[in-house]
Amino acid sequence: MPKIVDHDARREEVAEATWRVIARQGIEATTVKEIAKETGFSTGIFAHYFKNKNDLLLYALQLASIRIGARMWKKGEEASGGEVLGSVLLEALPLDRERRLEWQIWVTFWGQAASDTALTEEQKHWYVEYRSLVRGLILDGQRSGHFRTDIDAGEEADSMVAFVDGIGLQATLDPRRFPPEYQIKLLEQRLSSLRGK
């Protein structure tokens, strides 16, 4: 009887290995051969799951975005009141090993997206979803009386996402200067400006 393979799980396994190789070597030095070595599979198996290396890279970026988004939604459902926005935004910061790896991948893909339309479109899609989530949480906070009403929720969402990206980028490049507790402190200071005078 032939072995049954979970194709989705195998694709995720390959994408996770791709993240690790990219984090170690950079995207330019990431080859199918290196990814195969990381997974323990032969290079021939990749043709069953991906059209080419670019298809694999796009899937790796999509999977990272999906996982970050899922954590954000989960935190949003678990928190309450004025704490929801902060709980969601903390998921976007490199506060632990998993999120640091995601940030290494994300920063690497920023550079690659400059010359790859598919990666650019994937990142744009993610940011539309991300800003929409943040905007909705700000509006919820305004309606519930937790946040000031004299600010534009759309502009504040753009500003907040850019702020969190700035912290995440700095923490990725200089983790000693931006340890987790400092990242949290900076975010809390920024969120306090929404809570009013």
Side-chain angles (χ1 to χ4, degrees):
M1 184 172 183
K3 183 178 177 183
I4 297 172
V5 176
D6 182 334
H7 290 280
D8 291 336
R10 182 61 54 88
R11 283 170 57 87
E12 288 186 19
E13 187 178 352
V14 171
E16 290 166 356
T18 303
W19 297 341
R20 293 189 299 273
V21 174
I22 289 172
R24 256 193 334 264
Q25 302 177 186
I27 203 163
E28 295 301 326
T30 297
T31 63
V32 170
K33 184 177 179 181
E34 288 295 322
I35 298 166
K37 189 188 303 182
E38 182 74 17
T39 61
F41 303 144
S42 70
T43 56
I45 199 167
F46 289 81
H48 294 290
Y49 301 103
F50 302 99
K51 290 182 250 177
N52 52 41
K53 180 184 169 184
N54 286 344
D55 185 42
L56 168 57
L57 293 176
L58 179 60
Y59 177 74
L61 178 59
Q62 289 169 336
L63 183 62
S65 299
I66 288 167
R67 288 191 179 172
I68 295 165
R71 280 200 321 265
M72 287 178 157
W73 280 107
K74 185 173 188 281
K75 287 294 182 181
E77 291 172 352
E78 292 172 353
S80 61
E83 304 306 312
V84 177
L85 180 60
S87 294
V88 167
L89 291 174
L90 285 173
E91 290 304 312
L93 290 174
L95 300 176
D96 57 30
R97 186 170 171 257
E98 178 183 6
R99 288 177 277 184
R100 281 191 301 275
L101 176 60
E102 288 168 351
W103 261 97
Q104 287 177 301
I105 300 310
W106 198 251
V107 168
T108 300
F109 276 113
W110 278 344
Q112 190 73 10
S115 61
D116 187 311
T117 305
L119 293 176
T120 299
E121 290 306 311
E122 179 59 30
Q123 288 189 330
K124 281 183 187 176
H125 173 75
W126 158 251
Y127 275 107
V128 166
E129 296 290 321
Y130 182 17
R131 286 190 298 267
S132 177
L133 172 61
V134 172
R135 180 181 177 275
L137 293 174
I138 292 169
L139 286 170
D140 288 347
Q142 288 175 322
R143 284 190 289 268
S144 65
H146 291 98
F147 296 151
R148 294 169 32 206
T149 57
D150 63 333
I151 56 173
D152 179 274
E155 289 178 6
E156 188 60 31
D158 287 346
S159 175
M160 191 67 75
V161 167
F163 178 79
V164 170
D165 273 1
I167 295 174
L169 177 60
Q170 291 298 314
T172 301
L173 298 176
D174 191 358
R176 287 187 182 175
R177 174 80 175 86
F178 287 83
E181 58 276 8
Y182 188 50
Q183 295 176 56
I184 293 166
K185 179 182 178 181
L186 292 174
L187 178 59
E188 182 53 40
Q189 289 173 347
R190 180 67 180 77
L191 287 169
S192 68
S193 68
L194 291 177
R195 296 191 184 107
K197 304 150 187 163

